[in-house]
Amino acid sequence: MPPTVKELRILNSVLCGVALLVTAFRLYLRKTRSKLWWDDFWVLLSALSIIVLIVVNFLHTDDPTKYSRGSKIAVYYMCIQFYYAVSWTSRLSILYTVIRISFERMRRGLIVASGAFLISWIVLFAQVFWVCESPGNTSWKDQPIPQCELGEDVAIAQVITVVVSDAILIFAPIKLIWRTRLPKSTKIRLVSVFASTVAATAVSLYYIYALLRIGGITEEFAATIHDGVSLLVANLSVVIAFAWRLSSPGSSGASDEAAHENTRPLHHGFGRKEKIPSKSFALSTVTPDTYVDVHVEHIRHIEEGNDSTMWIGDDGQSKKHELTALPGGGLSMGTTVVSFDNNSVNTSDK
């Protein structure tokens, strides 16, 4: 049985409303910690788009006798185009979350992928007008509630772009996380957060099926589910990270510093970023109880000099550590000796 207009309106209010509240909470967390970045910009744009979508969904399902023919056509176009806007800005937010924690070659590749995401959005945006304004396909404009039959070409284009883009959003963070030196349980938790993109993929395919085989109010119902779920998934990494900080030992939840407070010495673990011989390493800091987020701003090894210099930013603060070359190989950072061979890096105290 297809959904009713009343059910669509309830879904439009509740699901999208919850997604907006979660987004507001996420942006509040980032703002209070001075950690706003491009992933927050995209999720903000997605939230603004879903607000417009809520309004036009109500207008599209309202009494059609209240509005002129041109107004009803404009409302339909806004419904479909803001569906795309929420969908792709949510994907871009997830992608930039991964870019935020990636390094060098992978980071550059993901930035290129973000350009491909934007191109996909533009192509799908234009395809709607190409199909709906084509000669011989204008009868839909005279319906009491206008709704264009987008057809197989639009469905195929959506399937291709959705599957490829969501595959990137799922496998890129998994590859990145699994190469870091974190406890296995932590890796599994992080992977599970990013793998939640599968939920958005599933509802997206449901929408494409509704578009191709059912149409009508079911198509709009599926689009609303997809956009609400997409925006929720885009916020999961930040919200769940906040929940982990609240539940971590010694955390009061008042700030990142309190959440990461630990009196035991940190163990510094280094891991190679590439399999080929290289002097560039990624840094993670691990304690027996929890892990501390450290963002590596820059690592440089001076081949012909005696020193290597590494800049580390922790909780938004830049710090500089001098690594001095030791006789026989290895580097020292304060009282910590860093030695390395072809496959690994080890640390020990002087």
Side-chain angles (χ1 to χ4, degrees):
M1 179 182 293
T4 64
V5 170
K6 182 179 180 180
E7 290 171 340
L8 174 60
R9 289 183 161 220
I10 292 172
L11 178 73
N12 191 44
S13 301
V14 176
L15 180 59
C16 296
V18 170
L20 282 172
L21 288 175
V22 173
T23 303
F25 180 64
R26 172 242 180 89
L27 293 173
Y28 169 77
L29 290 176
R30 285 288 177 83
K31 174 64 176 177
T32 55
R33 289 163 175 76
S34 301
K35 290 186 177 182
L36 290 171
W37 200 60
W38 282 105
D39 55 336
D40 303 298
F41 165 77
W42 287 115
V43 85
L44 174 61
L45 192 58
S46 186
L48 295 176
S49 298
I50 209 170
I51 291 173
V52 177
L53 186 64
I54 291 171
V55 175
V56 294
N57 275 343
F58 275 112
L59 293 175
H60 191 239
T61 55
D62 200 4
D63 182 359
T65 60
K66 294 181 179 179
Y67 309 102
S68 66
R69 179 176 181 270
S71 298
K72 291 186 289 186
I73 294 170
V75 165
Y76 168 73
Y77 274 129
M78 291 178 72
C79 284
I80 188 67
Q81 296 297 6
F82 277 94
Y83 158 77
Y84 283 141
V86 176
S87 176
W88 286 98
T89 50
S90 296
R91 287 188 177 95
L92 283 163
S93 178
I94 297 171
L95 183 65
Y96 271 86
T97 298
V98 183
I99 291 173
R100 186 172 189 158
I101 61 175
S102 61
F103 298 95
E104 292 187 351
R105 182 182 300 176
M106 186 175 186
R107 187 184 184 94
R108 291 193 295 269
L110 292 177
I111 291 174
V112 172
S114 70
F117 280 29
L118 286 170
I119 292 172
S120 299
W121 180 9
I122 293 169
V123 169
L124 293 172
F125 181 95
Q127 191 181 32
V128 170
F129 294 105
W130 176 268
V131 171
C132 296
E133 295 296 328
S134 62
N137 188 29
T138 58
S139 60
W140 64 271
K141 296 180 180 181
D142 297 318
Q143 297 172 3
I145 300 179
Q147 186 164 358
C148 175
E149 293 185 9
L150 297 175
E152 290 187 0
D153 290 343
V154 173
I156 291 170
Q158 288 199 38
V159 167
I160 293 172
T161 54
V162 164
V163 170
V164 173
S165 61
D166 287 1
I168 293 172
L169 297 180
I170 293 169
F171 293 110
I174 289 176
K175 180 180 179 181
L176 177 65
I177 292 167
W178 222 253
R179 292 173 64 184
T180 61
R181 293 194 170 186
L182 295 172
K184 188 174 181 179
S185 59
T186 300
K187 289 183 179 181
I188 292 172
R189 288 198 300 268
L190 291 171
V191 166
S192 64
V193 171
F194 286 104
S196 62
T197 304
V198 172
T201 307
V203 292
S204 181
L205 294 176
Y206 168 58
Y207 164 73
I208 294 169
Y209 173 78
L211 180 156
L212 193 59
R213 300 297 182 190
I214 305 174
I217 196 168
T218 303
E219 179 184 330
E220 195 166 348
F221 192 83
T224 304
I225 293 175
H226 174 262
D227 279 351
V229 171
S230 295
L231 187 53
L232 286 171
V233 168
N235 290 302
L236 274 184
S237 61
V238 177
V239 174
I240 292 180
F242 174 76
W244 286 348
R245 286 196 294 269
L246 287 179
S247 61
S248 63
S251 173
S252 64
S255 65
D256 285 348
E257 290 77 15
H260 289 164
E261 184 179 359
N262 196 307
T263 57
R264 300 187 183 186
L266 294 176
H267 167 70
H268 298 269
F270 292 75
R272 278 192 176 277
K273 292 161 59 177
E274 300 181 11
K275 294 181 180 179
I276 60 174
S278 171
K279 298 298 184 181
S280 182
F281 302 97
L283 171 67
S284 65
T285 62
V286 181
T287 69
D289 298 320
T290 185
Y291 74 92
V292 179
D293 294 325
V294 175
H295 177 61
V296 178
E297 298 290 349
H298 182 69
I299 303 175
R300 182 181 64 191
H301 181 77
I302 304 174
E303 295 289 348
E304 297 180 356
N306 293 324
D307 297 322
S308 290
T309 305
M310 178 165 56
W311 289 268
I312 304 171
D314 186 357
D315 290 329
Q317 302 298 321
S318 296
K319 299 177 182 179
K320 180 177 177 180
H321 298 271
E322 297 290 340
L323 303 186
T324 305
L326 300 175
L331 303 168
S332 69
M333 181 174 66
T335 60
T336 302
V337 177
V338 184
S339 61
F340 52 87
D341 54 32
N342 290 332
N343 298 312
S344 64
V345 178
N346 303 297
T347 64
S348 61
D349 293 331
K350 285 183 179 179

